[in-house]
Amino acid sequence: MKDIVKTPDGTSARDFRDALGRFATGITIVTIAGPEGPMGFTANSFASVSLDPPLVLWSPARASSRFDLFAGAQDYAIHILALDQFELIARFGRSGVGFAGLEHALSPDGVPRIPGALARFECQRHAAHDGGDHLIIVGRVKRFALRDGAPLVFSQGAYGGFLHGG
């Protein structure tokens, strides 16, 4: 099969996005204590950065209506969703109901914790960097939690799961 080689420019934006979509990502919900209560943000831009010190990153889109609140948060939690948590994507998406009616707990820093996440990283902002139409936020992990289960993944415009074959 022959590669199609392109330059990322205005005429190839859809192809560039499709090429990026070939990389399967996990789905996360980032939570903060907002000015009017708990808030969440669905994101798949998450990565580990360092084990020592323990650093992770996520990247909110500047076009988001909630960008300023999340970009300015000093404490936040990143929840990695399990396959059985698919409904949370819409709940914390653009027009979702967020925490309304969702049982949750608070971290010692007052950050909302979503129950049942496959993993959770409670972070304090360490650094932020310009990332074009996104902001790259690096957080120092203060606490983390994990459980067994299958992750919810996104690739090529579709959601699915990945089961470990052992």
Side-chain angles (χ1 to χ4, degrees):
M1 179 172 251
K2 186 176 178 182
D3 290 347
I4 299 170
V5 179
K6 296 187 174 205
T7 302
D9 58 24
T11 64
S12 65
R14 180 72 247 174
D15 290 334
F16 182 62
R17 190 177 178 104
D18 289 346
L20 292 170
R22 298 303 195 260
F23 183 72
T25 63
I27 305 298
T28 70
I29 304 289
V30 180
T31 60
I32 63 170
E36 298 178 19
M39 297 180 69
F41 193 108
T42 302
N44 68 342
S45 58
F46 167 80
S48 62
V49 176
S50 170
L51 295 176
D52 186 19
L55 301 173
V56 296
L57 69 77
W58 80 288
S59 303
R62 293 182 187 278
S64 168
S65 62
R66 296 171 282 174
F67 174 80
D68 289 337
L69 293 169
F70 281 84
Q74 292 303 303
D75 293 291
Y76 56 93
I78 300 171
H79 304 76
I80 297 181
L81 298 187
L83 184 57
D84 62 359
Q85 294 181 301
F86 178 80
E87 77 285 349
L88 293 177
I89 296 169
R91 174 181 276 275
F92 289 100
R94 279 189 191 107
S95 58
V97 296
F99 278 96
L102 181 68
E103 201 172 303
H104 64 282
L106 298 178
S107 75
D109 303 305
V111 176
R113 293 172 170 166
I114 297 172
L118 206 54
R120 181 183 64 248
F121 302 93
E122 295 174 20
C123 303
Q124 182 173 46
R125 185 184 176 120
H126 178 76
H129 306 281
D130 180 37
D133 59 4
H134 285 65
L135 180 67
I136 301 164
I137 300 175
V138 179
R140 184 179 185 107
V141 178
K142 299 187 324 185
R143 287 174 293 281
F144 69 95
L146 70 156
R147 72 168 178 91
D148 288 335
L152 179 60
V153 296
F154 181 75
S155 179
Q156 300 181 56
Y159 296 96
F162 176 80
L163 299 176
H164 188 293

